[in-house]
Amino acid sequence: MEQRLSLVTLGVADLARAQAFYEALGWRGQQPSDDVVFFQAGGMVVALWGREKLAEDSVTADGGGWGGITLAHNVASPGAVDAVLAEAERA
């Protein structure tokens, strides 16, 4: 498996406030919809998404102990997904 991340998604309680914070740091993002912002960060993307939506998408309960972060390693094809998952299972 290539040693890289494609996407880090941060679940945030207040999207506008989180976006303003990163923009105050000089980051420039794209907001294709009202509920997500994407920032290009070198060879990967950092996304800000509502914490409740991220928990639902992650099929987890957000009882306060969940970190609200997901990591993605994107690949080019369904076959590559199978290969990466098989490698992770062997590990």
Side-chain angles (χ1 to χ4, degrees), residues 7-10 18-31 37-48:
L7 174 68
V8 175
T9 304
L10 306 177
Q19 180 178 1
F21 170 78
Y22 283 95
E23 289 177 348
L25 294 176
W27 292 33
R28 296 293 166 244
Q30 295 185 357
Q31 190 169 11
V37 179
F38 296 106
F39 294 97
Q40 190 68 47
M44 70 175 187
V45 173
V46 174
L48 305 177

Side-chain angles (χ1 to χ4, degrees), residues 1-2 4 6 73-90:
M1 174 189 310
E2 185 181 350
R4 66 171 171 79
S6 305
H73 176 95
N74 294 349
V75 293
S77 69
V81 171
D82 294 339
V84 167
L85 289 175
E87 188 174 346
E89 287 174 356
R90 286 190 301 274

